[in-house]
Amino acid sequence: MNLEETPFYSYCFRTEEPEDKYQLVIRKDMYSDGTIVYPDNDALFEAFFSLLIKGRKVGGKADPLFRQRNCLNFHYLEYTGDKQDWLRYTKRRYLSRKENLKPTPLLVEIDQEIMEWFSEKEKKSSQYGDTIRIYTTADERESERMEIPEGTKYTYIPEAKSFSEALERLKNLGAQQYCEYLQREFFRKYAQLDLELISDELTPIRSFIEKAEKLSRKEAFGKADQDPSNEYLRLKHGYYLNHMCDWTFGGLPSRIYGEYFLFREWLEAQMQAYAPKSFADWFLGETAWAEVAWQRNTGNGYQHKQDLAAVFLNAYRPLQQKIPSYFQKYKQIDREYLTYQIFRFREHFPLKGRIEDISYFDDLIEMLMDQYPSADNAKEKSGPGLVAGDKSFAVTELYRLDDTAIIEKGEGKYIEFKSTFSYDLRQNKKSAEVEHSALKTIAAFLNSYGGILLIGVEDNRNVIGMESEYKLLSKPDKQDQFCTRFDDIVSKNLGSGTHKDFDLSFVKVGDKEVCRIVVPARAAAPVFLVHNGDHHFYIRRQASTEKLNISQVTQYINTHWKQS
């Protein structure tokens, strides 16, 4: 679309009857030799700009009912093309044109109203709203209901027709509007931002989430109450995939999703923007050494994970002096911050593409945290440099992908597929061995670096969904009954204290429902799986689960759960 050639504004000629007082009325001298010459965009905008700045005059006097906001709305609604095209073009031309005007008090007042309107329409919620709005004119019944003249053009958002449609509106409209409201209030509160202010805003949000996640998901799903913590659990764990949600701006789901999901993400992004010079920025200034180190180590090809850490820590001597000084300067850096910077660093790392196994970077963070002083070194550790509960770099990176992309990656150290949790597809009945196989994977993830288990996906990446598993369940709400049964089985075989160390949710992959279990990191304490009265200890290898013998268990626990 050529924005310079497309007429953007509703207009009529002086000899015609205007549909609305905001419509542009083009003078007769735009005719030439009796032939109609349609106005180009420049002429239309000049008429539009003049209407905005001067307002509509009646009998030589300004119309007191004329509002710039209404004028903008009229032409915005009249335009039948891409609304964002209209906004971009009009705002750009307006900003350019007003520079030549003297800033009188009246102009300043008008300009504020115009710019506020542009800002409102540029919000994510408004852009999404335009994609679902229905444009129509008021009939006799609607004109009486809304108390507007019959034939008036207006828009409305129709009711959601499905659970998924309502959930989409919640995230992109109702909750987004509430998030935008919180952002506006945030900037009204603080004239100047810094890390401490942003952190102060994040603290109560994170505290609420931490407390909510300790509550029972089963109870939250079983209640249709107005408790914020229960609503948080319902939103996080997919309750509204099978239930209709209130997606409107003032509803509880919109307020909870808007603040504890969208606004939290926005605050965390602001924190990164206002953070001191990042680890990656500092490191990127010294990347020449990495290529040298690669040349020195081409013989071993980085087949062993320690080689990567050796490159970072030992291959280039000046680096050994600079890393400690950096950590000493920025005391607030912890593992979470370092992990984020390694994400960024990896995108620019000179060896990117040569190192495919993302677990290399977990080892790098472990060695950095263990060798150099940081805020986390004062905390109790669950392993060399790893604070209990901290996310594994690899699982964090996988969690950023959608479930289809995870399935495409296939099984590996951090990914496992199971066709079912308890149902034996060959014998068409419940099987303790099938159940045990899934529990072994969860136990291994808890004792290693974490991982993602997808139930409803075969080893060959074929998605079969949860239909077979649901044959074992009798209640109408299959998800709720599965969660209850799953919780009972985990408590009995892995211990009730392990529930806090993983997250269970249901996701859609195509038209199939899949159960996703995410273990974000190693558990705070060793996890043993009870089977036939015995306790077994499992860990995760490259693409398999391995049971350790007694001597191996002792050595592994001493290595990975030693106290600092």
Side-chain angles (χ1 to χ4, degrees):
M1 177 180 292
N2 187 336
L3 300 187
E4 302 301 331
E5 297 177 357
T6 305
F8 275 74
Y9 309 99
S10 173
Y11 69 93
C12 68
F13 291 108
R14 180 64 58 85
T15 55
E16 301 170 356
E17 185 69 25
E19 294 182 6
D20 190 278
K21 65 179 178 180
Y22 302 110
Q23 189 175 33
L24 304 183
V25 180
I26 306 300
R27 291 171 48 173
K28 188 176 180 179
D29 59 12
M30 300 205 70
Y31 286 79
S32 175
D33 299 328
T35 302
I36 296 178
V37 178
Y38 293 100
D40 59 19
N41 234 20
D42 288 337
L44 285 171
F45 179 80
E46 285 303 314
F48 179 67
F49 182 79
S50 177
L51 187 64
L52 281 178
I53 299 302
K54 298 178 181 178
R56 182 174 181 269
K57 291 185 178 181
V58 179
K61 295 183 179 181
D63 182 355
L65 298 179
F66 183 92
R67 295 282 295 174
Q68 278 72 19
R69 180 180 293 271
N70 293 340
C71 180
L72 286 159
N73 267 326
F74 172 79
H75 292 281
Y76 179 78
L77 295 178
E78 284 289 320
Y79 183 60
T80 57
D82 188 317
K83 305 292 186 185
Q84 293 304 306
D85 285 342
W86 191 93
L87 284 173
R88 284 189 291 268
Y89 176 86
T90 305
K91 184 177 180 180
R92 175 172 58 83
R93 292 295 301 271
Y94 173 77
L95 292 174
S96 174
R97 187 69 178 81
K98 78 169 185 178
E99 289 180 356
N100 301 322
L101 298 180
K102 184 179 179 180
T104 63
L106 178 60
L107 179 60
V108 171
E109 181 181 343
I110 291 172
D111 179 62
Q112 181 178 354
E113 181 178 316
I114 292 173
M115 294 309 296
E116 285 178 354
W117 185 88
F118 277 126
S119 176
E120 188 68 29
K121 288 300 180 183
E122 287 172 336
K123 290 178 179 178
K124 289 182 179 179
S125 58
S126 294
Q127 293 179 22
Y128 172 77
D130 281 333
T131 66
I132 61 175
R133 284 187 176 275
I134 292 179
Y135 293 76
T136 185
T137 56
D139 56 20
E140 182 178 357
R141 179 166 169 248
E142 290 298 316
S143 66
E144 291 179 3
R145 183 180 66 85
M146 295 188 290
E147 298 182 350
I148 57 177
E150 187 175 345
T152 301
K153 295 181 180 179
Y154 72 99
T155 70
Y156 70 95
I157 295 177
E159 290 296 321
K161 297 179 180 178
S162 64
F163 301 148
S164 60
E165 191 174 70
L167 185 59
E168 179 186 342
R169 292 185 185 181
L170 168 74
K171 294 179 178 180
N172 297 299
L173 191 61
Q176 183 62 44
Q177 288 173 333
Y178 190 70
C179 176
E180 290 162 355
Y181 160 75
L182 293 175
Q183 291 170 355
R184 185 169 63 251
E185 293 302 306
F186 179 81
F187 284 117
R188 285 179 181 173
K189 188 188 306 183
Y190 302 118
Q192 272 189 320
L193 297 186
D194 56 42
L195 277 175
E196 185 176 355
L197 289 177
I198 301 171
S199 179
D200 287 345
E201 290 287 327
L202 268 171
T203 297
I205 292 176
R206 288 173 171 170
S207 177
F208 169 87
I209 292 173
E210 182 179 352
K211 291 179 181 178
E213 289 180 341
K214 293 179 180 178
L215 301 178
S216 167
R217 180 170 64 242
K218 176 183 176 181
E219 291 186 12
F221 276 39
K223 296 179 179 178
D225 59 8
Q226 292 292 304
D227 183 88
S229 297
N230 285 337
E231 190 61 49
Y232 173 84
L233 293 175
R234 288 190 285 263
L235 287 165
K236 181 178 180 181
H237 296 290
Y239 175 82
Y240 290 113
L241 292 174
N242 283 341
H243 299 81
M244 186 65 74
C245 68
D246 176 9
W247 53 266
T248 57
F249 170 74
L252 180 64
S254 292
R255 287 186 280 120
I256 296 300
Y257 197 88
E259 181 170 4
Y260 297 107
F261 291 84
L262 301 180
F263 187 58
R264 173 181 57 81
E265 291 173 3
W266 180 80
L267 283 173
E268 289 171 346
Q270 296 301 308
M271 178 169 278
Q272 295 300 337
Y274 283 89
K277 182 181 179 184
S278 71
F279 179 83
D281 293 337
W282 170 81
F283 225 10
L284 288 174
E286 303 295 332
T287 51
W289 65 266
E291 205 56 46
V292 174
W294 171 260
Q295 296 300 328
R296 290 181 184 178
N297 290 273
T298 49
N300 61 47
Y302 291 95
Q303 295 302 308
H304 304 288
K305 296 173 186 175
Q306 298 300 323
D307 296 337
L308 178 66
V311 169
F312 277 83
L313 302 176
N314 303 317
Y316 193 62
R317 189 168 297 277
L319 193 63
Q320 298 182 46
Q321 302 169 356
K322 292 186 177 182
I323 288 183
S325 64
Y326 179 82
F327 276 80
Q328 186 176 4
K329 183 175 181 180
Y330 299 113
K331 298 292 186 182
Q332 75 277 16
I333 293 178
D334 55 19
R335 181 184 172 86
E336 182 180 358
Y337 184 78
L338 178 61
T339 300
Y340 172 78
Q341 300 303 343
I342 292 293
F343 268 122
R344 294 183 56 203
F345 175 69
R346 182 172 180 250
E347 293 302 310
H348 301 88
F349 186 44
L351 307 184
K352 183 184 178 185
R354 301 173 183 172
I355 300 172
E356 298 297 332
D357 186 354
I358 55 180
S359 62
Y360 275 83
F361 293 90
D362 266 321
D363 289 282
L364 167 63
I365 295 173
E366 290 293 286
M367 293 193 70
L368 288 174
M369 294 295 295
D370 205 32
Q371 182 162 347
Y372 296 102
S374 71
D376 281 348
N377 281 344
K379 300 178 183 178
E380 180 176 285
K381 299 179 182 179
S382 61
L386 179 61
V387 177
D390 278 341
K391 286 186 178 180
S392 156
F393 176 89
V395 176
T396 304
E397 180 159 283
L398 289 173
Y399 202 68
R400 299 166 68 190
L401 304 176
D402 60 34
D403 296 281
T404 301
I406 292 176
I407 293 172
E408 289 176 354
K409 275 183 167 292
E411 293 183 313
K413 182 174 182 179
Y414 300 95
I415 303 174
E416 179 78 6
F417 303 148
K418 295 294 181 186
S419 301
T420 63
F421 179 67
S422 301
Y423 190 80
D424 190 324
L425 294 172
R426 296 180 179 177
Q427 300 183 38
N428 293 320
K429 65 178 183 178
K430 180 182 176 182
S431 167
E433 289 307 310
V434 171
E435 201 171 87
H436 180 64
S437 176
L439 291 172
K440 285 196 304 183
T441 299
I442 297 174
F445 283 154
L446 288 168
N447 289 325
S448 303
Y449 274 127
I452 298 177
L453 170 62
L454 296 180
I455 300 174
V457 182
E458 295 179 315
D459 292 343
N460 62 4
R461 307 178 190 178
N462 179 44
V463 180
I464 63 173
M466 296 289 288
E467 287 83 356
S468 296
E469 186 67 30
Y470 286 164
K471 292 178 182 178
L472 300 174
L473 309 177
S474 58
K475 294 182 179 180
D477 192 337
K478 303 298 185 184
Q479 285 186 3
D480 182 68
Q481 189 178 0
F482 178 84
C483 289
T484 301
R485 184 170 172 275
F486 180 85
D487 288 345
D488 292 341
I489 292 171
V490 168
S491 297
K492 179 181 176 181
N493 294 277
L494 294 175
S496 58
T498 58
H499 289 285
K500 66 180 184 304
D501 294 321
F502 61 83
D503 175 60
L504 184 150
S505 61
F506 296 92
V507 296
K508 283 285 188 180
V509 180
D511 60 347
K512 301 291 185 181
E513 186 177 81
V514 171
C515 177
R516 178 175 64 185
I517 300 171
V518 178
V519 180
R522 185 187 305 137
V527 175
F528 289 84
L529 173 61
V530 179
H531 184 57
N532 294 332
D534 295 324
H535 290 72
H536 304 277
F537 190 87
Y538 293 92
I539 63 170
R540 190 71 178 171
R541 295 300 188 190
Q542 284 304 315
S544 63
T545 295
E546 178 180 333
K547 184 171 76 171
L548 301 187
N549 59 38
I550 295 177
S551 62
Q552 290 173 323
V553 170
T554 302
Q555 182 180 2
Y556 189 89
I557 291 176
N558 288 337
T559 302
H560 292 81
W561 278 276
K562 69 180 181 181
Q563 300 296 315
S564 60

